Amino acid sequence: MALSEHQRLPSLLATRHFLFHFLASSSWLLPLASPQRITDPTIGTAPNQEYAHSIRLEGDIILGGLFPVHSRGGGGVPCGELKKEKGIHRLEAMMFAIDLINKDTELLPNITLGARILDTCSRDTYALEQSLTFVQALIEKDGSDVRCANGDLPIFAKPDKIVGVIGAAASSVSIMVANILRLFKIPQISYASTAPELSDNTRYDFFSRVVPPDSYQAQAMMDIVTAMGWNYVSTLASEGNYGESGVEAFVQISRETGGVCIAQSLKIPREPKPGEFDKIIKRLLETSNARAVIMFANEDDIRRILDAAKHNNQTGHFLWVGSDSWGSKISPVIGQERVAEGAVTILPKRASVDAFDRYFRSRSLSNNRRNVWFAEFWEENFGCKLGMHGKRPGSPKKCTGLEKVGRDSSYEQEGKVQFVMDAVYAMAHALHRMHRELCYGYPGLCPKMANIDGKELLSHIRAVNFNVSSMSHDPSSLRAVLPQRSAGTPVVFNENGDAPGRYDIFQYQSTNRSTREYKVIGTWTNKLHLNVEAMQWRAGDPSLPASVCSVPCRMGERKKIVKGVPCCWHCERCEGYHFQASEFSCELCPYEQRPDANRTGCQNIPIIKLEWHSPWAVIPVFISMLGIIATTFVIVTFVRYNETPIVRASGREMSYVLLTGIFLCYAITFLMIATPDVGVCSFRRIFLGLGMCFSYAALLTKTNRIHRIFEQGKKSVSAPRFISPASQLVITFSLISVQLLGVFVWFAVDPPHTFVDYGEQRTQDPAAARGVLKCDISDLSLICSLGYSILLMVTCTVYAIKTRGVPETFNEAKPIGFTMYTTCIIWLAFIPIFFGTAQSAERMYIQTTTLTISLSLSASVSLGMLYMPKVYVIIFHPEQNIPKRKRSFKAIVTAATMSGKLQKGGERPNGEVKTELCESMETNSDFIN
């Protein structure tokens, strides 16, 4: 947790007191009395090691410089190999900028800038030790306790007073140094440190930088990842402020935006053990779907990571996204171009300084003696050895001193050269503003600037706003050789000392000449502008590789997020009647709808009805048509032979009523299959039970009449009441009126209408679901409608059983009985079939077909048993259809009673008696009727 200013004050004062004591008593400061030895080293002779750690340039105002001239050493040695680009190029850029400023007649006129440049050796602790040099002049030295070897008092050389520091490169070094410089109020401008931590103006108030912080860089890298469609990445950071802060900023942005998940966050130790990088590669492969690796690592670590990926045969697997520490550098990819191919890197916008190229190519051993590391650079750059004291003892080649940079060796300007010069110029502009304010009109330094106040200088640094390309149009001005910043953007600082975020996006691509190079594919200035079409991946493949935890769900599937990893999910299909309402949810379609083909919405369920061409309709219609034809034929026959004995013996009036009911039973089939509407539904209600009611009311009246006649005959010879045709019709239509009354009440209570039944064919597969267009006739309504007719049928059957003992030719008693028995069997079979299929998907078809066929069979049984034998006799045996002599009612009843007694006694009359009785009964039917 960060301490407040009041809490930190005692700690800072104690640290400052310790530094005063340490510096004042340190004997290693004594050799600084002869700084001139450093500024003029002899080539071929190693300079005294006491002075080889710094460069000193004389001047009225001295600036400090911190550069990673050497890499971090190992095995207890502070410094390692020379860094030609990041070290030598950058420090030469500072000296080149100082040269230009000192020759400029408008910027700091009559004032010479000097410098004290130190090597940080890419190590923060070593840099801290070196940077103590910058604060020597600000410490009062107490030499009372110090004596020379001969016992004399020491003579302290007057140290240079450093007014500002340019550097450092690494964020960890800048942080360490900034903590010391702020105690002595020495402003610091970095040319490469990008750690977000350095934006904290309460802790690093004297720190500024001409490069944008990693918070901008992290946002730019996040925008790149998002533009690529990657949502599952790993991060890799070098241990230290730069790497850890950069990754932390990236992770924080990913949490805020929520679009990218971090598979793993790995750290490269400062002192990696053998095999450490192979372990990192194997750990990255544990989440193989996270192919994109976000790297905030130093150059050495980048190179070793790529090498480890190459050794583990992972060329082409990882999608590297490198920070500005990678940028467009060649050194990390040398020897491992294939594994680095496709890497996307980021670098603050910069322009190549042509004048620096000319300056640096002109450097030689003879004209660059001020750079104490130039001899070492010469050996390293040309692969030769300078005399017996050279740094390359194993080199067989000796340097001639006539080698030329860019001619005898490769040369490419280091990426941060422009920013080094910007930092120097920013410091110069701040001093110029301060001089104009304190020493206006005074040539050179005035007394007010003899001791420059660091806090006041800081305020001028934060206020600078200049554009090198537009500063001067004087041809003689050497500022014309400085780079023009991209799009004319000025050098400015915000309230935290940060430069605005402006980046170029590079990709390491293969060219047509089978070589590889960095190509600019976009820019970022608060917003990403990326040319995706210009990107290439392995072997020129333009297709975009994936780095996702889970592939996108198909249409109709919802995401089920893995707990704790919002970028990983399982795809679950919206089943049944559910559709994909959103990315993460399925919802149930309205009852009358079903999901569409891709389950992204709902559509109306198709509405069906029983079609005329359906097999379920064809068979009932065929049976009905045959029945209607047969019934019509019987009616026509009866009408034509209306006065014949057989027709008259059948009871003409009741026969026509019965035939009407049979006709209606056949005709209802067409109403049951017709497309439901209000009219059809109304007729269905009326005629569904009416046909059966006509039939069984007539049959009931007939059987009841026969039963009453013979019951009356047992008691007396007088005829029972209501056996005349008119009475029979009244009884029949009274029974029918009950059915009609029930139908009219039904009409009043629940007017007929249609509806669509979506539940009948609501199958598990929504594609097969159908809505059935129906009349609003429920099963209960159907039972009520047919119930009365069934009651008549059962009653008729009872009377048929009671009259079974009458002579077999007497007024159709036995045919009626057989008809009723068969009809009962048909309807007993109908009930389980009709109601047992209530849950079937084919319910509409089965029930409609069952009902219509049952009605048709009932009508056919009545037609066949009661009327077809008569029609047969009428047509094919007309000789039997002649009048017989009439007998009295008393004779007929007596004969019938005798016949009954004979049958009960087990005796049968001879044929003559039977025939006469039958004929007498038939010929007297008119009387009976």
Side-chain angles (χ1 to χ4, degrees), residues 407-702:
R407 184 192 66 186
D408 301 315
S409 65
S410 61
Y411 168 75
E412 183 177 357
Q413 188 179 125
E414 202 275 332
K416 294 291 195 298
V417 163
Q418 173 198 331
F419 298 107
V420 173
M421 298 181 69
D422 284 346
V424 176
Y425 262 83
M427 192 71 76
H429 274 278
L431 290 168
H432 184 79
R433 287 169 55 92
M434 190 176 185
H435 180 269
R436 193 168 52 190
E437 181 179 305
L438 299 179
C439 308
Y440 186 77
Y442 191 94
L445 288 179
C446 66
K448 290 184 179 180
M449 287 188 67
N451 292 307
I452 296 176
D453 182 8
K455 194 166 186 179
E456 187 176 356
L457 177 60
L458 176 66
S459 65
H460 289 290
I461 291 175
R462 296 292 172 85
V464 299
N465 186 337
F466 67 93
N467 191 331
V468 175
S469 62
S470 60
M471 282 175 49
S472 173
H473 300 284
D474 182 0
S476 63
S477 175
L478 290 176
R479 276 173 286 177
V481 303
L482 286 179
Q484 293 189 7
R485 294 183 66 87
S486 300
T489 54
V491 178
V492 293
F493 300 100
N494 63 14
E495 66 276 5
N496 295 323
D498 295 328
R502 294 183 288 259
Y503 297 96
D504 284 322
I505 313 298
F506 295 87
Q507 188 183 37
Y508 192 60
Q509 297 181 355
S510 176
T511 64
N512 295 330
R513 296 175 303 220
S514 298
T515 59
R516 295 172 179 83
E517 63 181 16
Y518 291 97
K519 181 178 178 181
V520 177
I521 58 170
T523 60
W524 191 92
T525 306
N526 297 323
K527 184 179 179 181
L528 179 66
H529 301 277
L530 189 66
N531 184 5
V532 179
E533 295 179 356
M535 302 183 74
Q536 292 183 6
W537 305 96
R538 292 200 61 191
D541 182 10
S543 61
L544 190 65
S547 180
V548 295
C549 181
S550 303
V551 296
C553 292
R554 294 175 296 180
M555 289 189 295
E557 294 181 341
R558 75 177 185 94
K559 292 180 180 179
K560 185 177 181 181
I561 302 298
V562 177
K563 187 176 181 180
V565 189
C567 297
C568 298
W569 57 80
H570 303 297
C571 294
E572 290 186 350
R573 185 161 180 80
C574 298
E575 297 293 345
Y577 289 82
H578 291 78
F579 72 100
Q580 184 184 0
S582 67
E583 189 178 7
F584 303 101
S585 65
C586 297
E587 291 184 4
L588 185 65
C589 285
Y591 191 70
E592 70 279 1
Q593 294 184 331
R594 66 181 182 182
D596 56 22
N598 54 21
R599 290 185 176 270
T600 56
C602 295
Q603 60 185 11
N604 292 329
I605 295 177
I607 299 174
I608 62 169
K609 60 182 183 60
L610 185 57
E611 301 291 344
W612 292 102
H613 55 77
S614 169
W616 296 97
V618 169
I619 296 174
V621 167
F622 179 73
I623 295 173
S624 296
M625 291 181 67
L626 291 179
I628 289 172
I629 292 171
T631 304
T632 303
F633 178 74
V634 170
I635 293 173
V636 170
T637 302
F638 265 52
V639 170
R640 182 178 179 182
Y641 298 96
N642 189 53
E643 298 299 327
T644 61
I646 290 179
V647 175
R648 295 177 68 184
S650 301
R652 288 174 296 184
E653 294 80 4
M654 298 305 295
S655 290
Y656 290 136
V657 172
L658 181 57
L659 287 171
T660 300
I662 292 172
F663 184 89
L664 291 177
C665 287
Y666 285 125
I668 193 65
T669 296
F670 297 94
L671 288 174
M672 297 301 294
I673 297 175
T675 302
D677 56 32
V678 174
V680 171
C681 292
S682 300
F683 283 117
R684 280 188 188 180
R685 288 191 181 187
I686 295 172
F687 292 107
L688 182 60
L690 192 60
M692 290 179 64
C693 188
F694 264 78
S695 299
Y696 299 128
L699 288 175
L700 176 59
T701 303
K702 276 192 171 188

Side-chain angles (χ1 to χ4, degrees), residues 576-577 590-595 604-611 614 616 755-774 837-849:
Y577 289 82
Y591 191 70
E592 70 279 1
Q593 294 184 331
R594 66 181 182 182
N604 292 329
I605 295 177
I607 299 174
I608 62 169
K609 60 182 183 60
L610 185 57
E611 301 291 344
S614 169
W616 296 97
F755 78 103
V756 179
D757 185 357
Y758 292 101
E760 181 173 319
Q761 294 197 25
R762 194 174 180 85
T763 57
Q764 290 185 350
D765 180 12
R770 298 292 184 271
V772 181
L773 181 62
K774 288 183 174 183
T837 58
Q839 303 302 321
S840 171
E842 305 291 334
R843 172 186 174 186
M844 175 188 69
Y845 305 112
I846 296 174
Q847 290 188 343
T848 302
T849 302

Side-chain angles (χ1 to χ4, degrees), residues 17-274:
H17 177 73
F18 165 76
L19 291 172
F20 286 167
H21 178 74
F22 175 75
L23 293 173
S25 59
S26 297
S27 59
W28 63 272
L29 296 174
L30 296 177
L32 296 178
S34 303
Q36 196 63 33
R37 296 178 58 186
I38 298 175
T39 62
D40 189 21
T42 58
I43 302 303
T45 302
N48 193 313
Q49 293 302 311
E50 294 173 332
Y51 315 119
H53 70 283
S54 67
I55 295 174
R56 184 175 186 277
L57 302 180
E58 292 284 358
D60 301 322
I61 298 175
I62 305 298
L63 302 180
L66 293 172
F67 296 92
V69 181
H70 293 87
S71 63
R72 187 169 56 231
V77 178
C79 300
E81 297 179 353
L82 182 78
K83 289 188 173 184
K84 296 190 296 182
E85 290 83 13
K86 295 179 73 173
I88 300 300
H89 284 207
R90 291 179 182 179
L91 70 86
E92 287 288 350
M94 180 176 178
M95 293 192 291
F96 176 59
I98 289 175
D99 290 343
L100 294 178
I101 293 169
N102 288 340
K103 294 177 182 178
D104 196 320
T105 59
E106 295 183 9
L107 184 61
L108 291 176
N110 300 314
I111 298 176
T112 302
L113 286 181
R116 185 69 182 277
I117 301 175
L118 305 176
D119 181 8
T120 65
C121 289
S122 306
R123 189 187 296 271
D124 51 2
T125 54
Y126 184 79
L128 175 62
E129 181 183 340
Q130 293 295 298
S131 63
L132 296 178
T133 304
F134 297 148
V135 300
Q136 294 177 57
L138 302 176
I139 300 175
E140 296 180 2
K141 301 176 178 60
D142 181 10
S144 59
D145 296 334
V146 181
R147 291 289 186 272
C148 296
N150 58 5
D152 295 337
L153 291 173
I155 300 174
F156 290 98
K158 185 178 181 181
D160 295 320
K161 183 177 181 181
I162 306 298
V163 299
V165 174
I166 305 300
S171 295
S172 57
V173 174
S174 289
I175 289 173
M176 191 75 79
V177 173
N179 283 320
I180 298 299
L181 297 182
R182 73 182 297 265
L183 296 177
F184 299 93
K185 298 181 180 180
I186 299 177
Q188 174 186 2
I189 302 178
S190 174
Y191 50 84
S193 298
T194 56
E197 184 180 352
L198 289 165
S199 297
D200 186 353
N201 203 35
T202 61
R203 296 176 59 191
Y204 307 103
D205 45 349
F206 281 81
F207 178 84
S208 305
R209 49 187 162 189
V210 292
V211 289
D214 286 337
S215 54
Y216 294 145
Q217 184 174 200
Q219 182 63 61
M221 296 172 78
M222 176 61 69
D223 291 346
I224 293 170
V225 168
T226 304
M228 295 292 104
W230 301 336
N231 65 4
Y232 196 51
V233 301
S234 296
T235 63
L236 187 59
S238 292
E239 186 176 4
N241 292 94
Y242 171 77
E244 294 177 33
S245 300
V247 165
E248 183 179 349
F250 183 87
V251 171
Q252 182 63 31
I253 294 172
S254 72
R255 289 172 181 165
E256 292 173 356
T257 59
V260 176
C261 296
I262 309 301
Q264 295 190 76
S265 283
L266 304 182
K267 188 186 300 183
I268 303 172
R270 291 180 188 272
E271 304 290 342
K273 299 177 182 178

Side-chain angles (χ1 to χ4, degrees), residues 308-487:
K310 179 180 178 181
H311 289 160
N312 284 274
N313 297 319
Q314 296 303 318
T315 299
H317 174 77
F318 293 109
L319 307 170
W320 312 107
V321 181
S323 63
D324 61 345
S325 60
W326 186 335
S328 59
K329 297 186 182 71
I330 297 298
S331 56
V333 299
I334 291 177
Q336 42 212 14
E337 290 83 359
R338 287 192 61 209
V339 74
E341 186 174 350
V344 178
T345 61
I346 189 170
L347 192 64
K349 271 187 175 295
R350 61 185 178 88
S352 180
V353 186
D354 295 336
F356 177 79
D357 290 339
R358 294 191 295 272
Y359 162 80
F360 194 80
R361 286 192 177 102
S362 67
R363 298 298 89 191
S364 65
L365 293 173
S366 58
N367 64 13
N368 198 22
R369 293 172 178 262
R370 62 182 179 178
N371 186 345
V372 298
W373 297 289
F374 198 72
E376 186 178 353
F377 165 80
W378 199 267
E379 290 183 327
E380 186 72 25
N381 192 54
F382 296 107
C384 60
K385 179 182 177 183
L386 282 170
M388 59 182 301
H389 297 289
K391 295 286 185 179
R392 297 172 61 89
S395 177
K397 179 182 175 183
K398 290 188 178 182
C399 300
T400 63
L402 300 177
E403 295 86 358
K404 188 172 181 61
V405 175
R407 184 192 66 186
D408 301 315
S409 65
S410 61
Y411 168 75
E412 183 177 357
Q413 188 179 125
E414 202 275 332
K416 294 291 195 298
V417 163
Q418 173 198 331
F419 298 107
V420 173
M421 298 181 69
D422 284 346
V424 176
Y425 262 83
M427 192 71 76
H429 274 278
L431 290 168
H432 184 79
R433 287 169 55 92
M434 190 176 185
H435 180 269
R436 193 168 52 190
E437 181 179 305
L438 299 179
C439 308
Y440 186 77
Y442 191 94
L445 288 179
C446 66
K448 290 184 179 180
M449 287 188 67
N451 292 307
I452 296 176
D453 182 8
K455 194 166 186 179
E456 187 176 356
L457 177 60
L458 176 66
S459 65
H460 289 290
I461 291 175
R462 296 292 172 85
V464 299
N465 186 337
F466 67 93
N467 191 331
V468 175
S469 62
S470 60
M471 282 175 49
S472 173
H473 300 284
D474 182 0
S476 63
S477 175
L478 290 176
R479 276 173 286 177
V481 303
L482 286 179
Q484 293 189 7
R485 294 183 66 87
S486 300

